[in-house]
Amino acid sequence: MRARRSLRVVGAVAAAALVVVPAAPLVVNAIASDRPVLGLDLPGASREQVWADPSSAAAAYARERAQATLTLRSGERPVERTLGSLGLVDAEGALRDALLSAGRDGPLWQDVVAQTRAAWGLLHLTPPPDRLDPAGLDAAVAALARDIDVEPQDAALTLSDGQVAVRPDVPGVRLDVIAARRAILEAVRDGRRTADLPTQARAPAVTRGDLAAAATLVRAAVARPLVLAAAHARVTVPPDRVFAALPVTLSAGGVSVGADGAGLAADIEAAAAQAAQDPVLRIVMAGTVVAPGADGRRVDPAAAAQAVLAELRARAAGGGSDVVTLPVTTLPAPVQEATPGAFTGDHAVHLTFDDGPGAHTEQILDILADKGAHATFYVLGERARAHPETVRRILAEGHRLGNHSATHPDLTTLTPQQVSAEIAGTQATLTEITGVRPTAFRPPYGAVNDTVRQVAEAEHLSIDLWTLDTQDWRAPGADVVRDRVLGAAQPGSVVLLHVLRQGTVDALPGIIDGLRAQGLAVD
């Protein structure tokens, strides 16, 4: 009897449990309608977290999905990208709504069953599928393309140690953007951790075979010397500049060798500078040429550039020569008529010094005094004002004093008023300093025209040039200056010297002694 009663009690308790236990969560779910049903399961979160703070649980899940990685394979260079970087749409809001609606969005009997299952830990929420934003995915794929794409490298000619070689071509790679986008979408849709990104090969525009003929031409052109000749000048163009002047180009007709002489401008200028020569003044006195002078020459830059370009084009075609002759223009020697001026008779050699006083004038006067010789000094007005004592010494020691203008301009380029100021102004300066008015005048550079002659005549000045130009102002050295005088002097020679260089000072004793040794007087 007692056993039957105990059995009925146990059965009643079990029946009550079957009713009360499920009913309790249903009551709580009805009261707490702003929370998920009790016991709802979400991957990556505990049931307590889901029920207590569904927003935080949804946010944590969304962050986890954004940090999930997808391995993207392209050839042998796999890279990893997070779903967030691929444009994953933030699912936090949708997941939170799903948590709150699970077990409450169906007919009553279905909700009761679902909530009962949740209470027993049998209701699992499936999160919304991952979705990629089209614009974000496009941006991510474009960035991948920048990382993956490799530009093809064309074959090219190179020069090393004077040898022309062909650098081989290298194919490039391009990401197939459309197929890559599709592969990523499918991998995300299927929940896969990897995606294969298709690529396409990119062929170079110029292959090694394309350059075979051009390489033969350029190799032969660079191996030969390229000499620029102008008069006595010779300039050899280095192989690297010859190589650069023969560019290889690609056109519809194929690969060809061109010609570009712009890079050889410095070589042309160097040859032109070596060949250049200023004309030397030819002096005629009383119908007799007393200084023959010499024609000058210069290289025409434009014509020289055309000649070099023609040679480059010939080499590009497999021809050409080793030497390019640059066109040279002759500059006729200017001719000046001279008057005897301060120099009379033909028994002596006349030493003349220009551009003083100052510089080395005092040293020259000391040597002349020591040797008992005399000379003529053509002085500048502006320097005479700076060194009046030296001007007075010139006259005091028996030398001739001549006018050489005030500032040493080319008088033929000035107006009549300016010429008068240069000549007459210097006359006034020298007269004021010495009390003696000069009667001799040497124009700077020997440049004379009708205006200069008229002003000189008005000032009662002779126009004195020279018959032997030492070019000592170029500082060729004392021995050269001395030898130029001793090798060309004859009775009546007028020697042009300057007070500007120490080399002239050092040459002067040898000049005087050498002339006297030849039986020539120095005056």
Side-chain angles (χ1 to χ4, degrees):
M1 196 64 174
R2 182 175 297 177
R4 288 197 192 98
R5 188 178 297 130
S6 298
L7 184 60
R8 283 197 294 272
V9 170
V10 171
V13 171
L18 289 173
V19 173
V20 173
V21 172
L26 295 178
V27 173
V28 173
N29 291 340
I31 295 173
S33 60
D34 59 341
R35 297 190 180 187
V37 298
L38 279 171
L40 181 62
D41 179 61
L42 175 69
S46 67
R47 293 185 178 88
E48 291 78 6
Q49 290 174 330
V50 171
W51 189 80
D53 191 350
S55 294
S56 295
Y61 180 84
R63 287 194 298 272
E64 180 184 345
R65 293 307 302 155
Q67 292 301 315
T69 59
L70 182 64
T71 300
L72 306 175
R73 296 183 298 204
S74 172
E76 298 181 356
R77 299 192 302 167
V79 295
E80 286 192 348
R81 293 289 187 271
T82 64
L83 296 183
S85 69
L86 295 174
L88 180 68
V89 176
D90 187 358
E92 177 183 348
L95 182 56
R96 183 179 62 250
D97 293 344
L99 288 172
L100 294 176
S101 63
R104 291 193 176 100
D105 56 354
L108 178 60
W109 67 270
Q110 289 181 352
D111 288 349
V112 170
V113 172
Q115 291 181 25
T116 300
R117 292 180 64 220
W120 288 97
L122 300 176
L123 183 60
H124 307 286
L125 179 67
T126 300
D130 292 330
R131 291 188 306 109
L132 300 181
D133 174 64
L137 178 58
D138 288 344
V141 172
L144 285 169
R146 289 193 292 272
D147 291 339
I148 294 172
D149 288 0
V150 176
E151 291 292 328
Q153 186 176 18
D154 291 342
L157 298 187
T158 62
L159 182 70
S160 178
D161 296 328
Q163 300 299 313
V164 177
V166 180
R167 185 189 67 202
D169 54 282
V170 179
V173 175
R174 177 189 288 116
L175 179 67
D176 187 333
V177 174
I178 295 176
R181 190 179 189 279
R182 183 168 55 249
I184 292 173
L185 285 172
E186 291 174 353
V188 172
R189 180 197 65 195
D190 299 341
R192 289 185 277 112
R193 299 292 301 274
T194 62
D196 292 321
L197 305 184
T199 58
Q200 300 169 337
R202 302 178 63 184
V206 181
T207 66
R208 185 166 189 164
D210 294 334
L211 293 181
T216 300
L217 285 174
V218 175
R219 192 174 289 116
V222 173
R224 290 166 45 201
L226 177 57
V227 179
L228 308 184
H232 63 279
R234 295 291 184 275
V235 172
T236 300
V237 181
D240 61 324
R241 287 208 281 272
V242 177
F243 176 78
L246 298 169
V248 175
T249 57
L250 176 65
S251 63
V255 174
S256 61
V257 180
D260 183 1
L264 305 186
D267 302 284
I268 295 174
E269 291 177 3
Q274 290 183 25
Q277 179 173 306
D278 294 332
V280 179
L281 184 67
R282 180 176 293 116
I283 302 174
V284 180
M285 186 180 297
T288 300
V289 176
V290 295
D295 292 338
R297 58 175 174 266
R298 69 177 180 85
V299 173
D300 184 328
Q306 288 300 315
V308 171
L309 184 60
E311 169 60 22
L312 292 174
R313 286 172 176 163
R315 292 194 178 205
S321 61
D322 293 349
V323 179
V324 180
T325 301
L326 306 184
V328 175
T329 300
T330 299
L331 306 175
V335 179
Q336 293 291 351
E337 286 285 344
T339 59
F343 312 109
T344 58
D346 57 4
H347 65 286
V349 173
H350 307 283
L351 301 182
T352 67
F353 294 89
D354 286 6
D355 299 342
H360 300 285
T361 305
E362 293 287 343
Q363 290 178 268
I364 291 171
L365 288 170
D366 290 342
I367 293 170
L368 292 172
D370 181 64
K371 296 292 184 179
H374 292 90
T376 302
F377 290 82
Y378 294 95
V379 300
L380 298 171
E382 64 176 10
R383 293 184 181 175
R385 284 191 292 273
H387 304 278
E389 293 301 322
T390 303
V391 175
R392 296 188 187 99
R393 180 184 173 186
I394 289 172
L395 284 179
E397 295 184 2
H399 305 290
R400 303 183 190 89
L401 184 66
N403 183 328
H404 196 40
S405 80
T407 61
H408 207 280
D410 181 346
L411 297 174
T412 63
T413 66
L414 305 184
T415 66
Q417 292 78 11
Q418 291 171 323
V419 173
S420 180
E422 287 283 337
I423 298 176
T426 300
Q427 285 290 86
T429 297
L430 297 178
T431 302
E432 178 184 348
I433 292 172
T434 66
V436 177
R437 192 171 186 83
T439 59
F441 168 65
R442 174 172 283 168
Y445 313 107
V448 180
N449 60 11
D450 289 342
T451 299
V452 175
R453 292 189 182 93
Q454 290 169 5
V455 174
E457 183 178 355
E459 293 294 326
H460 306 288
L461 292 169
S462 61
I463 296 178
D464 306 337
L465 298 181
W466 56 88
T467 63
L468 198 164
D469 187 355
T470 64
Q471 297 281 303
D472 62 328
W473 58 274
R474 294 182 183 271
D479 292 346
V480 174
V481 174
R482 181 199 63 214
D483 293 345
R484 285 176 179 173
V485 175
L486 299 182
Q490 55 187 335
S493 291
V494 180
V495 181
L496 175 60
L497 297 160
H498 298 78
V499 301
L500 305 175
R501 308 291 185 193
Q502 182 63 42
T504 303
V505 177
D506 297 338
L508 185 55
I511 291 174
I512 297 172
D513 293 342
L515 291 173
R516 288 173 172 169
Q518 295 178 20
L520 296 171
V522 179
D523 182 14

